[in-house]
Amino acid sequence: MKVGVFDSGIGGLTVVKSLLEHQLFEEIIYFGDTARVPYGSKDKNTIIRYAIEAVEFFKNFELDMIIVACNTVSAYALDEMNESADCPVIGVVEAGILATANSLQERDANILIIGTNATINSQAYEDGLRLKNFSNLHAKATPLLVPLVEEEIFSGEIINATFKHYFSKLERPQALILGCTHFPLLTKELQKYFTQETQLIHSGDAIVEYLQNRFAFEKKYKNPKMKFFASENPEALRTIARKWLNV
Ligand code: DGL
């Protein structure tokens, strides 16, 4: 199986990391739209236009599937991408909703969703979770965490102050949906802040669970072929990929 992974920038590498850990694909083609990141502050029409351009780019590779690692794109542009692609396009939002529903017994569990402004404004997670009968839903846009992760600031004073800024007035949730590609890199600190009692839902793990339930993966690929593309400064993306993914 040959997969394309699309993100607005480097954050989608957290999803690639999960795909690599589970050795699902023979070949991974990553495209990060680094020239136009962030998508999280853009409007719906722009996000859809950029997403369709990414589908066009992926048409050069005869893919079996495209995974949209970006929560913002998954929230707004999945239908449009599926219409213009010649392979299935799968997004992290639906996968995250299913992973949450599978891992929480009580339908009145307090769930907090964090993500970019666009993802939170879309209410895509809440809509999906309501269909699964969850009702105690809270959402908070936490866009400042994105540039901090891009600066590779994963802990310390600034992170703690930012958590306090966003979360101090909120009740501790039973589940925290990391509705943004970058947030898995803050897992340790978020777990510390909210304590071990809060279950973190990670898009990368959610998409692996989703794929394994939907498709028959007969083989494991220990050393998949990987290609990394970016709309600006691909070398910088490749450097980060080597570092984050150990490849
Ligand atoms: N990749 C985006 C997401 O998961 C975060 C960065 C951006 O705003 O483009 O929503």
Side-chain angles (χ1 to χ4, degrees):
M1 289 258 254
K2 189 169 171 184
V3 68
V5 178
F6 172 49
D7 184 47
S8 55
I10 58 171
L13 294 172
T14 58
V15 170
V16 174
K17 198 175 172 83
S18 299
L19 298 179
L20 288 177
E21 276 164 12
H22 290 82
Q23 305 177 352
L24 297 185
F25 294 101
E26 189 175 9
E27 192 166 348
I28 300 176
I29 312 281
Y30 184 92
F31 174 59
D33 192 3
T34 47
R36 304 189 289 199
V37 68
Y39 281 17
S41 52
K42 300 200 164 50
D43 73 12
K44 183 178 174 181
N45 291 338
T46 305
I47 294 164
I48 291 174
R49 182 159 50 88
Y50 291 175
I52 289 174
E53 286 173 21
V55 169
E56 291 307 314
F57 170 76
F58 280 126
K59 283 185 180 162
N60 295 308
F61 300 96
E62 289 184 27
L63 299 173
D64 294 300
M65 115 181 28
I66 297 171
I67 292 177
V68 181
C70 182
N71 283 261
T72 305
V73 173
S74 300
Y76 284 99
L78 212 61
D79 290 347
E80 289 79 358
M81 290 181 82
N82 264 303
E83 273 162 32
S84 49
D86 35 31
C87 63
V89 182
I90 295 166
V92 285
V93 171
E94 192 188 346
I97 291 165
L98 289 175
T100 309
N102 288 340
S103 62
L104 289 177
Q105 299 294 329
E106 305 148 33
R107 280 344 198 203
D108 63 349
N110 177 339
I111 302 175
L112 174 63
I113 303 134
I114 56 174
T116 63
N117 282 307
T119 298
I120 298 306
N121 289 338
S122 76
Q123 301 203 12
Y125 276 103
E126 288 102 309
D127 290 346
L129 288 165
R130 268 190 219 104
L131 290 176
K132 301 262 170 222
N133 299 320
F134 288 99
S135 53
N136 193 359
L137 307 174
H138 307 268
K140 184 90 193 155
T142 56
L144 280 176
L145 295 174
V146 173
L148 289 176
V149 168
E150 297 213 344
E151 285 288 318
E152 299 190 82
I153 299 173
F154 305 125
S155 62
E157 252 173 70
I158 310 177
I159 291 289
N160 290 334
T162 312
F163 284 178
K164 244 188 225 149
H165 169 70
Y166 286 132
F167 306 134
S168 62
K169 293 201 177 77
L170 300 175
E171 247 180 66
R172 189 180 54 71
Q174 276 161 268
L176 175 69
I177 298 184
L178 307 178
C180 173
T181 43
H182 293 56
F183 300 169
L185 289 154
L186 299 170
T187 295
K188 221 166 125 197
E189 294 308 303
L190 285 164
Q191 200 76 71
K192 231 199 269 171
Y193 184 90
F194 287 107
T195 80
Q196 290 295 334
E197 315 257 296
T198 294
Q199 190 175 339
L200 267 48
I201 309 286
H202 174 319
S203 294
D205 296 342
I207 204 95
V208 166
E209 186 182 326
Y210 182 87
L211 292 170
Q212 285 175 330
N213 288 334
R214 257 184 84 169
F215 301 95
F217 290 93
E218 274 147 21
K219 268 194 183 168
K220 294 260 179 206
Y221 298 96
K222 223 170 164 191
N223 294 306
K225 272 189 235 155
M226 286 198 277
K227 287 192 186 121
F228 295 94
F229 296 92
S231 50
E232 183 178 273
N233 202 348
E235 214 27 70
L237 177 101
R238 287 179 195 129
T239 304
I240 294 269
R242 279 193 287 271
K243 195 164 153 190
W244 287 7
L245 304 174
N246 276 328
V247 290

PDB file of all heavy atoms in Angstrom, residues 1 19 28 36 47 52 77 98 114 125-126 139 146-147 161 175 191 221:
ATOM      1  N   MET A   1       0.835  -1.211   0.000  1.00  0.00           N
ATOM      2  CA  MET A   1       0.000   0.000   0.000  1.00  0.00           C
ATOM      3  C   MET A   1       0.865   1.255   0.000  1.00  0.00           C
ATOM      4  O   MET A   1       1.836   1.353   0.756  1.00  0.00           O
ATOM      5  CB  MET A   1      -0.883   0.029   1.252  1.00  0.00           C
ATOM      6  CG  MET A   1      -1.980  -0.978   1.233  1.00  0.00           C
ATOM      7  SD  MET A   1      -3.550  -0.205   0.807  1.00  0.00           S
ATOM      8  CE  MET A   1      -4.340  -0.193   2.395  1.00  0.00           C
ATOM      9  N   LEU A  19       2.158   5.865  12.000  1.00  0.00           N
ATOM     10  CA  LEU A  19       2.087   4.926  10.865  1.00  0.00           C
ATOM     11  C   LEU A  19       3.354   4.075  10.812  1.00  0.00           C
ATOM     12  O   LEU A  19       3.298   2.861  10.570  1.00  0.00           O
ATOM     13  CB  LEU A  19       1.926   5.686   9.537  1.00  0.00           C
ATOM     14  CG  LEU A  19       0.662   6.542   9.361  1.00  0.00           C
ATOM     15  CD1 LEU A  19       0.679   7.245   8.011  1.00  0.00           C
ATOM     16  CD2 LEU A  19      -0.612   5.681   9.492  1.00  0.00           C
ATOM     17  N   ILE A  28       5.456   5.837   1.852  1.00  0.00           N
ATOM     18  CA  ILE A  28       4.773   7.017   2.407  1.00  0.00           C
ATOM     19  C   ILE A  28       5.291   8.262   1.689  1.00  0.00           C
ATOM     20  O   ILE A  28       6.493   8.509   1.645  1.00  0.00           O
ATOM     21  CB  ILE A  28       5.041   7.155   3.931  1.00  0.00           C
ATOM     22  CG1 ILE A  28       4.537   5.916   4.687  1.00  0.00           C
ATOM     23  CG2 ILE A  28       4.393   8.431   4.493  1.00  0.00           C
ATOM     24  CD1 ILE A  28       4.838   5.904   6.193  1.00  0.00           C
ATOM     25  N   ARG A  36       2.338  27.967   3.190  1.00  0.00           N
ATOM     26  CA  ARG A  36       1.071  28.641   3.509  1.00  0.00           C
ATOM     27  C   ARG A  36       0.558  28.322   4.901  1.00  0.00           C
ATOM     28  O   ARG A  36      -0.544  28.736   5.266  1.00  0.00           O
ATOM     29  CB  ARG A  36       0.028  28.291   2.440  1.00  0.00           C
ATOM     30  CG  ARG A  36       0.524  28.641   1.046  1.00  0.00           C
ATOM     31  CD  ARG A  36      -0.519  28.530  -0.002  1.00  0.00           C
ATOM     32  NE  ARG A  36      -0.904  27.168  -0.312  1.00  0.00           N
ATOM     33  CZ  ARG A  36      -1.521  26.813  -1.433  1.00  0.00           C
ATOM     34  NH1 ARG A  36      -1.802  27.723  -2.344  1.00  0.00           N
ATOM     35  NH2 ARG A  36      -1.847  25.573  -1.660  1.00  0.00           N
ATOM     36  N   ILE A  47      -9.165  27.028   2.936  1.00  0.00           N
ATOM     37  CA  ILE A  47      -8.702  25.692   3.373  1.00  0.00           C
ATOM     38  C   ILE A  47      -9.086  24.651   2.307  1.00  0.00           C
ATOM     39  O   ILE A  47      -8.269  23.817   1.914  1.00  0.00           O
ATOM     40  CB  ILE A  47      -9.297  25.335   4.754  1.00  0.00           C
ATOM     41  CG1 ILE A  47      -8.744  26.290   5.824  1.00  0.00           C
ATOM     42  CG2 ILE A  47      -8.998  23.891   5.134  1.00  0.00           C
ATOM     43  CD1 ILE A  47      -9.504  26.308   7.145  1.00  0.00           C
ATOM     44  N   ILE A  52      -7.581  20.963  -2.097  1.00  0.00           N
ATOM     45  CA  ILE A  52      -7.762  20.390  -3.436  1.00  0.00           C
ATOM     46  C   ILE A  52      -6.450  20.475  -4.226  1.00  0.00           C
ATOM     47  O   ILE A  52      -6.096  19.565  -4.977  1.00  0.00           O
ATOM     48  CB  ILE A  52      -8.943  21.074  -4.159  1.00  0.00           C
ATOM     49  CG1 ILE A  52     -10.233  20.606  -3.465  1.00  0.00           C
ATOM     50  CG2 ILE A  52      -8.985  20.725  -5.639  1.00  0.00           C
ATOM     51  CD1 ILE A  52     -11.484  21.282  -3.937  1.00  0.00           C
ATOM     52  N   ALA A  77     -12.482  20.052   4.732  1.00  0.00           N
ATOM     53  CA  ALA A  77     -12.307  19.825   3.293  1.00  0.00           C
ATOM     54  C   ALA A  77     -12.328  18.368   2.868  1.00  0.00           C
ATOM     55  O   ALA A  77     -12.030  18.068   1.710  1.00  0.00           O
ATOM     56  CB  ALA A  77     -10.980  20.468   2.852  1.00  0.00           C
ATOM     57  N   LEU A  98     -14.086   8.263  16.609  1.00  0.00           N
ATOM     58  CA  LEU A  98     -14.281   6.823  16.854  1.00  0.00           C
ATOM     59  C   LEU A  98     -13.390   6.327  17.982  1.00  0.00           C
ATOM     60  O   LEU A  98     -13.829   5.548  18.828  1.00  0.00           O
ATOM     61  CB  LEU A  98     -13.998   6.028  15.564  1.00  0.00           C
ATOM     62  CG  LEU A  98     -15.057   6.194  14.479  1.00  0.00           C
ATOM     63  CD1 LEU A  98     -14.637   5.490  13.205  1.00  0.00           C
ATOM     64  CD2 LEU A  98     -16.405   5.632  14.951  1.00  0.00           C
ATOM     65  N   ILE A 114      -9.206  20.277  22.015  1.00  0.00           N
ATOM     66  CA  ILE A 114      -8.363  21.452  21.763  1.00  0.00           C
ATOM     67  C   ILE A 114      -7.867  21.403  20.322  1.00  0.00           C
ATOM     68  O   ILE A 114      -7.670  20.321  19.753  1.00  0.00           O
ATOM     69  CB  ILE A 114      -7.187  21.584  22.774  1.00  0.00           C
ATOM     70  CG1 ILE A 114      -6.309  20.333  22.807  1.00  0.00           C
ATOM     71  CG2 ILE A 114      -7.726  21.879  24.166  1.00  0.00           C
ATOM     72  CD1 ILE A 114      -5.053  20.486  23.692  1.00  0.00           C
ATOM     73  N   TYR A 125     -15.652  18.065  15.710  1.00  0.00           N
ATOM     74  CA  TYR A 125     -15.569  17.018  16.743  1.00  0.00           C
ATOM     75  C   TYR A 125     -16.872  16.927  17.544  1.00  0.00           C
ATOM     76  O   TYR A 125     -17.391  15.834  17.778  1.00  0.00           O
ATOM     77  CB  TYR A 125     -14.398  17.294  17.696  1.00  0.00           C
ATOM     78  CG  TYR A 125     -13.064  16.792  17.173  1.00  0.00           C
ATOM     79  CD1 TYR A 125     -12.134  17.671  16.625  1.00  0.00           C
ATOM     80  CD2 TYR A 125     -12.739  15.445  17.223  1.00  0.00           C
ATOM     81  CE1 TYR A 125     -10.916  17.212  16.150  1.00  0.00           C
ATOM     82  CE2 TYR A 125     -11.526  14.972  16.741  1.00  0.00           C
ATOM     83  CZ  TYR A 125     -10.615  15.862  16.211  1.00  0.00           C
ATOM     84  OH  TYR A 125      -9.411  15.394  15.728  1.00  0.00           O
ATOM     85  N   GLU A 126     -17.392  18.083  17.958  1.00  0.00           N
ATOM     86  CA  GLU A 126     -18.638  18.048  18.756  1.00  0.00           C
ATOM     87  C   GLU A 126     -19.771  17.395  17.959  1.00  0.00           C
ATOM     88  O   GLU A 126     -20.508  16.574  18.495  1.00  0.00           O
ATOM     89  CB  GLU A 126     -19.091  19.465  19.151  1.00  0.00           C
ATOM     90  CG  GLU A 126     -18.235  20.117  20.214  1.00  0.00           C
ATOM     91  CD  GLU A 126     -17.303  21.106  19.582  1.00  0.00           C
ATOM     92  OE1 GLU A 126     -16.611  20.734  18.611  1.00  0.00           O
ATOM     93  OE2 GLU A 126     -17.247  22.241  20.056  1.00  0.00           O
ATOM     94  N   ALA A 139     -14.878  22.762  24.259  1.00  0.00           N
ATOM     95  CA  ALA A 139     -13.851  22.947  23.225  1.00  0.00           C
ATOM     96  C   ALA A 139     -13.107  24.254  23.476  1.00  0.00           C
ATOM     97  O   ALA A 139     -13.706  25.237  23.932  1.00  0.00           O
ATOM     98  CB  ALA A 139     -14.513  22.977  21.855  1.00  0.00           C
ATOM     99  N   VAL A 146       0.749  26.007  18.803  1.00  0.00           N
ATOM    100  CA  VAL A 146       1.310  25.587  17.510  1.00  0.00           C
ATOM    101  C   VAL A 146       2.715  26.181  17.278  1.00  0.00           C
ATOM    102  O   VAL A 146       3.677  25.425  17.075  1.00  0.00           O
ATOM    103  CB  VAL A 146       0.334  25.920  16.346  1.00  0.00           C
ATOM    104  CG1 VAL A 146       0.981  25.637  14.995  1.00  0.00           C
ATOM    105  CG2 VAL A 146      -0.967  25.137  16.500  1.00  0.00           C
ATOM    106  N   PRO A 147       2.871  27.512  17.340  1.00  0.00           N
ATOM    107  CA  PRO A 147       4.240  28.040  17.134  1.00  0.00           C
ATOM    108  C   PRO A 147       5.224  27.597  18.203  1.00  0.00           C
ATOM    109  O   PRO A 147       6.418  27.460  17.924  1.00  0.00           O
ATOM    110  CB  PRO A 147       4.050  29.563  17.140  1.00  0.00           C
ATOM    111  CG  PRO A 147       2.701  29.809  17.712  1.00  0.00           C
ATOM    112  CD  PRO A 147       1.882  28.586  17.439  1.00  0.00           C
ATOM    113  N   ALA A 161       2.807  28.492  31.365  1.00  0.00           N
ATOM    114  CA  ALA A 161       2.012  29.725  31.370  1.00  0.00           C
ATOM    115  C   ALA A 161       0.898  29.640  30.317  1.00  0.00           C
ATOM    116  O   ALA A 161      -0.226  30.103  30.551  1.00  0.00           O
ATOM    117  CB  ALA A 161       2.924  30.918  31.095  1.00  0.00           C
ATOM    118  N   ALA A 175     -11.476  13.027  29.159  1.00  0.00           N
ATOM    119  CA  ALA A 175     -10.707  12.780  27.929  1.00  0.00           C
ATOM    120  C   ALA A 175     -10.355  14.116  27.284  1.00  0.00           C
ATOM    121  O   ALA A 175     -11.157  15.052  27.292  1.00  0.00           O
ATOM    122  CB  ALA A 175     -11.520  11.940  26.964  1.00  0.00           C
ATOM    123  N   GLN A 191      -0.249  15.680  30.029  1.00  0.00           N
ATOM    124  CA  GLN A 191      -0.605  14.617  30.978  1.00  0.00           C
ATOM    125  C   GLN A 191      -0.256  15.057  32.405  1.00  0.00           C
ATOM    126  O   GLN A 191      -1.011  14.810  33.329  1.00  0.00           O
ATOM    127  CB  GLN A 191       0.175  13.346  30.598  1.00  0.00           C
ATOM    128  CG  GLN A 191      -0.423  12.088  31.148  1.00  0.00           C
ATOM    129  CD  GLN A 191      -1.674  11.607  30.398  1.00  0.00           C
ATOM    130  OE1 GLN A 191      -1.575  11.148  29.282  1.00  0.00           O
ATOM    131  NE2 GLN A 191      -2.836  11.713  31.023  1.00  0.00           N
ATOM    132  N   TYR A 221       5.600  -3.508   7.126  1.00  0.00           N
ATOM    133  CA  TYR A 221       6.731  -2.920   6.368  1.00  0.00           C
ATOM    134  C   TYR A 221       7.653  -2.196   7.337  1.00  0.00           C
ATOM    135  O   TYR A 221       7.330  -1.115   7.821  1.00  0.00           O
ATOM    136  CB  TYR A 221       6.201  -1.971   5.295  1.00  0.00           C
ATOM    137  CG  TYR A 221       5.341  -2.675   4.281  1.00  0.00           C
ATOM    138  CD1 TYR A 221       3.952  -2.671   4.406  1.00  0.00           C
ATOM    139  CD2 TYR A 221       5.916  -3.372   3.229  1.00  0.00           C
ATOM    140  CE1 TYR A 221       3.152  -3.349   3.498  1.00  0.00           C
ATOM    141  CE2 TYR A 221       5.123  -4.053   2.306  1.00  0.00           C
ATOM    142  CZ  TYR A 221       3.742  -4.034   2.457  1.00  0.00           C
ATOM    143  OH  TYR A 221       2.954  -4.701   1.555  1.00  0.00           O
TER     144      TYR A 221
END
